[in-house]
Amino acid sequence: MPSVAQKRPSIQELSSYFPLTFPIPSPTTHPDLITTNDLHREEDLLRNPTSFRAWWAAITAMRESFVAQQKTELLTSKIPEDISIILGPLASPLARLSLQRLTYIYEAALSQFPNSFKLWKSYLMMRMSFTLGRVVPKKRAGGRKKFPEMKEALEEEEEYPDEWETPLDPVVGWEEWKSLISVFERGLMWLPKLPRLWLMYISVFFHPQCPSPLSYTHARRTFDRALRTLPPSLHSRIWTKYLLWAEKKGGETTVFVYRRYLAVDPSLTERFTRLLLSPSNSAPRPLEAAKLLLSLARKAARGEYSSPESKSPYQLLEDWIEVVEKYPEEVGLGVEETIESNVAIAKEDAETEASKADHSAENPAVKSGQLIRMAGPPVPVTADGKPTAPYSEDEDPASPKKFNVESIIRKDGLAVYKDQAGRLWTGLATYWIKRGEFDRAKDIFEQGTKSVLTIRDFTQIFDAYAEFDETLISALMEALEGEEDEDELAETEKELDMRMKDFEALTDRRPFLLNDVLIRRNPNDVQEWEKRVALWGDNDEEVSKTYTRALETITPRKATPNLHRLYVNFAKFYEEGGVSGQAEPDLDSARKILEKATKVNFRAVEDLAEIWCEWSEMELRHDNYDEAIRVMQRATAIPKNIRINYHDHALSAQARLFKSIKLWSFYVDLEESIGTVDSTKAVYDKILELRIANAQIIVNYAAFLEENHYFEDSFKVYERGVELFTFPVSFEIWNIYLSKFVKRYGGSKLERARDLFEQALEKCPPKSCKPLFLMYAHLEEDFGLAKRSMAIYERATQVVADEDKFEMFSIYIAKATANFGLPATRPIYERALEFLPDRQTAEMCLRFAALERKLGEIDRARAIYAHASQFCDPRVNPQFWSEWNTFEIETGSEDTFREMLRIKRSVQAQFNTEASYLAAQTISARQGTKKMEDSDDLQDAMAAAEKQAYNGANGPAFVAAKTSGDKLASSARDVAPQATNADEIQISDDEM
């Protein structure tokens, strides 16, 4: 082996080393292939030529020996870097000799086992390692799918390409590269159906230093042979490499290879279109890409194609529009050609419609109406039996015919994707702008703004339109600055002025165009029509036209609320002499409009009633009182059949109008204002006969009669009202009726008043009868007997609702005290304690006890306190126990005080449940920290008072109520009543 100090060989000398493996080395041609150490191995192989294990053991031993020698060589000698770069794995003589030895033994083994995949794979990998260099594995982020889609397979191969280190130079080692290829060819001759060998062979063509004679034509033919040889189920593994190789080569190769693949699997069409339009592509094909995208969009719309990138049919069409915008000259027709194409398409569509009409007019061949096909050309179908779409040059990538962009966008875009019209119109306009056809682009913008149905689409088109005008004006101004020819200058200035006026007009038209969009979206939107009227300002002619157009366009049953206001405002427009009021008022026109409005079948009866009321008010404004009355008489005309359900929407509004309380209310107000008493009464009576009156009508009718001194008639109206309505509505009528009756007659018709009160109370629910009882009792107090008054109060305490009973008993007790004195209230208190709820019993007991104390009945008061204690939790109602404590201090003895404490502990133990405890905690939380501190002080005060009141050494401090213990009792009163927690008082068992 040459040392580093020796003269380095030249390129010619390095080339002389090759070929190393062709012809196949053997001991006869290369004596150094076998050493004396290899004789034993050779003899063994000669004795057992059919033993695969012997051959494989020999190969393995030779490879391991080479690896060991190579490691030793790396430690003892160093190969020059320039030689290592050129020769790569074969830079050292040891590597070259090892290659020959391995080649010799592999070839000998293959001569015995030519169909062994294991031998061929190992042999090829060995040859590849000496020629292509060492493979550098790249770590993968995740696992590999077993059967990935072609798109995923391509992306994975792109992300993880094969990489090699220090390969053999293809120029110096050209013979060795050719020898490697010949080995692959021989291996595939023996094992042509194994895809792994084909993939190994193909990987050679992806080597960055693969010679040109191998990496182009030979590689393409190898790919083709692989596809012809392998079964179709394995083609995807070859196509993955084939397509990546084609993308790498670019140009015509990419196009032809992809066309072949797309004929079988169109899922990579989107990827192909990107390759056709790639910036790295020296010869882009926008027309072919556009036709492919249009074909995909149409197939996706028919459900025949699913995008691997999850794109919707509209997104595919949008991709096509982007191509059209970027390459307008290459893919689209000019203006004149587009117009001619549009005319031809319109003629063809007309002929098709006429043909369909003729076919539909013919008699059917069978009774069911379905024609029987007897003959004709076959209809092409897909694999699943569905008919295929007819041939179209717009979808044929091989056709050089350009697109009629307008027709395609209208047919495949605007007719299908109405919610994306803004993008489609702007795309079409941009196409004409890129071609320099500004007038055509302006027409497209105008058409777009007058056809879209959403604000988003309108805003998109209008912004693009305004930007186009601004850009054009800027370009004209720049051209004006650099223009020197006076004629050209004048023409440019004229065009600039025209463009400026158009831009200003466009800005001024924006509110109208936006309003047009909203009206197109919903022609029955009354509010938008009102806005349209407001946009015209003082232009009376346009306002009149807008109102007329609105009333002709709107469908009453589909209109938004307040359609009647449109008619009313239109009538006021003529009544007031236009918007500005400068014209002559035209009442006749206003009446005609309102007359027309009365025949419109509105959705709500109240809208129709509003029309009649506005008509009558218009006549009143012009002092036509009789005409106003006549209008309302027409409106309230009662039909023969009055048994019509007002809420039956199947009937027209005119048929249900006579039951509109709004209309009758206006009519009766009008009669009250300008009519007579009799005419007003007649209107009220009609309302009552129709049974549509509400409580307000009853009250108004009675008040009207009362104002005109028809008192008895007004009372009759109240009586009719209470017959018509039930509680709680009739309660208000009774309340007014009884108060009016008592005010009118006082005590002169006492029996009649009593009958009325009894009638009112007969069906009155408990929650509403309290005011009536109080009024009834006041009547008896003022004009009747006190005994009857007390009986009424007694009755009220039993009838009223539970929440009113406490107040009722309080009033009853107060009245009994005033009339009969305090002793007479004892039975009332007893009944109150019997009927009141528990939560109110304690309060009533405190009042009862105070009464007994006033009367000197201390024992009765103490018994009442004891009775009330069972309803009072000491933690929730400390006020009760404080008052009892004060009572015992002032009037009790030691025994009674001790009994009170015992009862308190017993009650507290009774209430010591979870619910009661939570209630106490809630109250404590509401009181806050400050109150808790005060409570602690009070408890301490209570303990001090008890200590002072009872001392074991001095004896009890309590004395009889009438003895001279006032000072001590006074001292106890100052402290003890504030106690809130008696648990702090400790009494021994001996004292109990």
Side-chain angles (χ1 to χ4, degrees):
M1 180 177 295
S3 62
V4 178
Q6 293 176 347
K7 182 180 179 182
R8 295 178 180 176
S10 62
I11 298 297
Q12 290 77 11
E13 292 175 346
L14 293 176
S15 300
S16 64
Y17 295 154
F18 304 99
L20 295 172
T21 57
F22 184 81
I24 297 173
S26 64
T28 57
T29 58
H30 297 74
D32 53 349
L33 289 182
I34 298 176
T35 63
T36 55
N37 296 330
D38 300 330
L39 293 177
H40 179 71
R41 181 198 67 202
E42 291 294 327
E43 291 175 355
D44 185 42
L45 292 176
L46 289 175
R47 284 194 298 269
N48 301 297
T50 59
S51 175
F52 183 83
R53 178 178 296 179
W55 285 102
W56 188 253
I59 292 172
T60 304
M62 187 175 291
R63 291 173 61 181
E64 291 176 353
S65 175
F66 166 65
V67 172
Q69 293 177 9
Q70 189 178 33
K71 290 180 180 180
T72 304
E73 183 184 37
L74 291 175
L75 296 175
T76 57
S77 61
K78 185 177 181 181
I79 303 172
E81 184 177 358
D82 53 350
I83 297 177
S84 178
I85 293 174
I86 296 174
L87 297 184
L90 299 175
S92 66
L94 174 62
R96 294 192 288 271
L97 179 60
S98 298
L99 172 61
Q100 291 177 334
R101 289 178 175 177
L102 288 171
T103 302
Y104 157 68
I105 194 168
Y106 269 112
E107 291 287 349
L110 288 172
S111 64
Q112 298 295 328
F113 307 99
N115 294 321
S116 174
F117 169 72
K118 185 175 182 179
L119 275 177
W120 277 111
K121 181 182 177 183
S122 179
Y123 181 32
L124 292 173
M125 292 183 68
M126 182 273 295
R127 295 292 298 269
M128 290 174 66
S129 65
F130 279 102
T131 304
L132 306 183
R134 186 174 66 88
V135 178
V136 180
K138 192 172 183 180
K139 293 183 179 180
R140 295 180 180 269
R144 178 184 294 182
K145 287 186 178 181
K146 189 173 183 181
F147 299 106
E149 297 290 337
M150 182 57 68
K151 174 179 174 294
E152 297 176 354
L154 289 174
E155 292 175 353
E156 186 175 5
E157 289 292 336
E158 284 182 325
E159 187 175 0
Y160 303 104
D162 292 334
E163 295 181 1
W164 295 268
E165 287 184 353
T166 61
L168 175 63
D169 184 82
V171 177
V172 175
W174 166 241
E175 296 294 335
E176 199 58 38
W177 280 84
K178 285 197 304 180
S179 178
L180 174 63
I181 297 300
S182 65
V183 173
F184 271 109
E185 293 290 344
R186 286 192 296 115
L188 291 173
M189 179 184 67
W190 288 103
L191 301 171
K193 300 295 184 181
L194 295 180
R196 184 60 189 166
L197 297 183
W198 284 105
L199 293 175
M200 292 173 63
Y201 190 9
I202 290 170
S203 65
V204 176
F205 307 138
F206 285 88
H207 197 284
Q209 294 193 22
C210 182
S212 299
L214 301 178
S215 61
Y216 283 92
T217 304
H218 178 76
R220 177 174 54 80
R221 291 174 178 173
T222 303
F223 279 115
D224 293 341
R225 283 193 296 123
L227 293 173
R228 288 194 299 268
T229 304
L230 293 174
S233 60
L234 300 174
H235 281 189
S236 59
R237 303 177 67 179
I238 303 300
W239 273 115
T240 303
K241 300 288 186 178
Y242 199 0
L243 294 175
L244 289 176
W245 175 82
E247 292 179 11
K248 182 179 178 182
K249 298 308 175 185
E252 296 288 339
T253 303
T254 304
V255 175
F256 292 142
V257 172
Y258 260 94
R259 282 179 181 176
R260 287 178 57 193
Y261 180 77
L262 295 179
V264 180
D265 179 17
S267 63
L268 294 182
T269 307
E270 297 173 48
R271 184 185 181 97
F272 181 40
T273 56
R274 289 196 295 270
L275 293 173
L276 292 176
L277 302 173
S278 175
S280 60
N281 191 354
S282 58
R285 298 168 178 256
L287 182 60
E288 183 176 354
K291 291 193 174 187
L292 289 172
L293 287 173
L294 180 61
S295 176
L296 292 182
R298 290 178 174 176
K299 289 180 180 178
R302 295 193 300 265
E304 300 174 3
Y305 173 77
S306 179
S307 172
E309 298 180 4
S310 301
K311 289 186 178 180
S312 64
Y314 170 74
Q315 289 175 319
L316 294 172
L317 183 64
E318 191 175 18
D319 292 343
W320 176 81
I321 293 176
E322 291 177 358
V323 175
V324 170
E325 290 176 343
K326 190 174 182 180
Y327 303 96
E329 299 287 346
E330 291 84 348
V331 302
L333 300 175
V335 175
E336 296 180 356
E337 296 171 334
T338 299
I339 294 174
E340 294 177 0
S341 178
N342 290 338
V343 172
I345 292 173
K347 184 178 180 181
E348 183 179 353
D349 292 341
E351 292 176 354
T352 303
E353 292 295 331
S355 177
K356 289 182 180 179
D358 293 341
H359 283 299
S360 62
E362 294 178 358
N363 293 326
V366 294
K367 293 182 179 180
S368 62
Q370 297 181 355
L371 298 177
I372 300 177
R373 183 181 182 89
M374 303 301 296
V379 178
V381 296
T382 59
D384 54 359
K386 296 181 180 180
T388 60
Y391 171 78
S392 173
E393 282 190 288
D394 292 337
E395 301 179 29
D396 185 6
S399 173
K401 181 183 177 182
K402 295 183 179 181
F403 295 113
N404 181 348
V405 178
E406 280 191 8
S407 175
I408 294 174
I409 289 182
R410 292 178 188 275
K411 179 180 178 182
D412 297 296
L414 296 173
V416 179
Y417 310 106
K418 294 181 173 59
D419 58 335
Q420 300 291 339
R423 174 67 182 94
L424 298 173
W425 283 110
T426 53
L428 180 56
T430 304
Y431 164 74
W432 289 117
I433 293 173
K434 291 290 186 67
R435 292 187 67 100
E437 302 292 343
F438 300 137
D439 293 337
R440 189 73 174 182
K442 184 176 180 181
D443 293 341
I444 295 299
F445 278 127
E446 290 289 341
Q447 293 178 32
T449 55
K450 294 177 181 178
S451 63
V452 293
L453 300 176
T454 63
I455 297 177
R456 183 193 64 180
D457 291 338
F458 169 77
T459 304
Q460 192 173 3
I461 296 174
F462 187 87
D463 292 346
Y465 193 1
E467 184 180 359
F468 160 67
D469 280 348
E470 291 176 355
T471 305
L472 195 58
I473 290 171
S474 300
L476 289 173
M477 294 179 69
E478 292 177 0
L480 197 63
E481 292 177 358
E483 190 64 52
E484 296 180 357
D485 189 357
E486 294 184 358
D487 295 338
E488 294 291 337
L489 184 63
E491 185 176 353
T492 305
E493 289 179 350
K494 183 178 180 181
E495 184 178 359
L496 179 61
D497 293 339
M498 181 184 66
R499 296 292 181 183
M500 290 289 289
K501 291 179 180 179
D502 291 344
F503 182 67
E504 292 175 0
L506 176 64
T507 306
D508 295 338
R509 285 191 299 133
R510 190 183 190 283
F512 292 92
L513 294 173
L514 181 59
N515 183 259
D516 284 338
V517 172
L518 298 175
I519 290 177
R520 278 195 303 273
R521 185 175 63 182
N522 184 9
N524 301 306
D525 193 338
V526 177
Q527 287 71 30
E528 291 303 325
W529 284 108
E530 291 284 3
K531 292 178 183 178
R532 182 74 172 188
V533 171
L535 287 175
W536 288 114
D538 296 338
N539 192 336
D540 292 344
E541 183 179 356
E542 292 296 336
V543 168
S544 177
K545 290 181 180 179
T546 303
Y547 272 123
T548 304
R549 181 184 164 204
L551 298 180
E552 292 175 352
T553 304
I554 295 175
T555 303
R557 302 296 291 182
K558 298 180 181 178
T560 57
N562 297 325
L563 173 61
H564 65 284
R565 298 305 310 170
L566 206 60
Y567 285 94
V568 171
N569 293 336
F570 194 14
K572 285 184 178 180
F573 170 77
Y574 282 106
E575 178 192 356
E576 296 172 357
V579 179
S580 60
Q582 301 297 326
E584 189 71 22
D586 188 356
L587 286 181
D588 292 336
S589 297
R591 291 190 182 101
K592 290 179 181 178
I593 293 170
L594 293 174
E595 181 71 32
K596 182 180 179 181
T598 59
K599 296 178 174 59
V600 175
N601 185 16
F602 293 98
R603 295 174 62 182
V605 179
E606 298 304 317
D607 294 346
L608 181 59
E610 186 71 20
I611 293 291
W612 286 105
C613 294
E614 290 289 343
W615 191 354
S616 181
E617 286 185 356
M618 184 187 73
E619 299 296 346
L620 290 175
R621 286 194 293 269
H622 295 276
D623 301 330
N624 298 328
Y625 303 114
D626 295 338
E627 185 64 28
I629 293 292
R630 280 194 291 271
V631 169
M632 296 312 299
Q633 288 175 348
R634 286 182 56 195
T636 56
I638 301 176
K640 294 181 180 180
N641 181 18
I642 63 173
R643 295 183 178 180
I644 291 177
N645 186 359
Y646 177 77
H647 301 287
D648 186 2
H649 295 282
L651 300 175
S652 64
Q654 285 76 11
R656 296 177 287 154
L657 178 64
F658 73 97
K659 285 195 173 184
S660 172
I661 188 62
K662 181 178 183 179
L663 186 68
W664 284 103
S665 298
F666 181 84
Y667 187 16
V668 78
D669 290 342
L670 184 62
E671 287 290 353
E672 287 187 22
S673 301
I674 62 177
T676 62
V677 175
D678 293 336
S679 63
T680 305
K681 288 175 63 179
V683 176
Y684 272 119
D685 291 337
K686 287 182 180 179
I687 296 175
L688 295 177
E689 289 173 5
L690 292 173
R691 304 182 69 85
I692 61 174
N694 54 23
Q696 188 63 46
I697 292 292
I698 299 296
V699 174
N700 292 343
Y701 189 11
F704 170 75
L705 293 174
E706 185 180 358
E707 289 175 2
N708 291 277
H709 306 291
Y710 292 89
F711 298 105
E712 285 298 329
D713 291 341
S714 69
F715 294 151
K716 291 179 181 179
V717 171
Y718 283 125
E719 291 176 357
R720 294 182 67 178
V722 296
E723 291 176 0
L724 288 173
F725 300 101
T726 59
F727 286 92
V729 178
S730 63
F731 167 76
E732 301 296 338
I733 302 176
W734 274 117
N735 199 11
I736 299 172
Y737 180 21
L738 294 173
S739 61
K740 294 285 186 182
F741 188 88
V742 172
K743 182 180 179 182
R744 171 69 179 166
Y745 293 110
S748 60
K749 295 185 179 183
L750 187 57
E751 290 299 328
R752 183 179 172 185
R754 288 170 178 168
D755 291 339
L756 291 176
F757 275 107
E758 292 297 336
Q759 292 177 26
L761 293 171
E762 183 179 0
K763 297 181 180 179
C764 184
K767 64 179 181 180
S768 303
C769 63
K770 175 188 167 185
L772 298 180
F773 274 113
L774 293 176
M775 193 185 302
Y776 192 5
H778 284 307
L779 174 68
E780 292 293 344
E781 290 176 7
D782 295 339
F783 305 105
L785 301 175
K787 184 177 181 181
R788 293 182 64 91
S789 174
M790 291 298 103
I792 293 171
Y793 283 121
E794 172 68 21
R795 180 180 164 193
T797 58
Q798 300 175 5
V799 176
V800 296
D802 291 343
E803 58 268 17
D804 296 330
K805 282 185 177 181
F806 185 84
E807 185 179 357
M808 202 71 230
F809 271 110
S810 300
I811 297 172
Y812 185 16
I813 292 169
K815 294 296 182 181
T817 303
N819 292 330
F820 304 107
L822 287 176
T825 60
R826 279 175 175 164
I828 303 175
Y829 274 113
E830 292 174 357
R831 285 194 296 274
L833 297 181
E834 181 180 354
F835 291 106
L836 285 176
D838 292 346
R839 56 187 175 84
Q840 296 176 347
T841 301
E843 179 64 25
M844 189 59 70
C845 285
L846 291 176
R847 296 186 183 185
F848 193 9
L851 169 67
E852 295 294 350
R853 188 175 180 184
K854 287 180 182 179
L855 296 176
E857 298 291 343
I858 302 301
D859 292 337
R860 288 177 61 89
R862 185 174 290 109
I864 293 170
Y865 277 118
H867 173 74
S869 64
Q870 61 182 318
F871 309 112
C872 300
D873 185 356
R875 291 169 297 186
V876 179
N877 298 313
Q879 183 64 28
F880 169 79
W881 295 96
S882 177
E883 291 190 15
W884 192 4
N885 185 80
T886 304
F887 170 78
E888 292 296 345
I889 292 174
E890 293 177 352
T891 63
S893 63
E894 179 182 356
D895 293 335
T896 58
F897 189 82
R898 189 179 291 112
E899 180 66 17
M900 183 267 293
L901 295 178
R902 186 191 65 77
I903 293 173
K904 185 175 183 180
R905 284 195 298 273
S906 176
V907 171
Q908 186 167 359
Q910 178 185 354
F911 280 98
N912 193 17
T913 61
E914 183 180 359
S916 178
Y917 179 77
L918 292 177
Q921 291 296 324
T922 303
I923 292 177
S924 299
R926 291 178 180 175
Q927 289 176 351
T929 306
K930 182 178 180 181
K931 290 187 177 181
M932 290 298 293
E933 294 175 355
D934 294 343
S935 177
D936 294 339
D937 295 338
L938 291 176
Q939 291 175 5
D940 295 338
M942 184 63 190
E946 182 188 0
K947 184 176 181 180
Q948 181 181 1
Y950 182 81
N951 191 340
N954 299 330
F958 284 97
V959 296
K962 296 183 179 179
T963 58
S964 59
D966 296 340
K967 183 176 181 181
L968 183 58
S970 176
S971 176
R973 277 200 306 271
D974 294 339
V975 180
Q978 300 179 2
T980 59
N981 188 354
D983 292 340
E984 297 295 333
I985 300 175
Q986 301 294 332
I987 298 177
S988 65
D989 296 338
D990 297 336
E991 295 171 340
M992 290 297 292

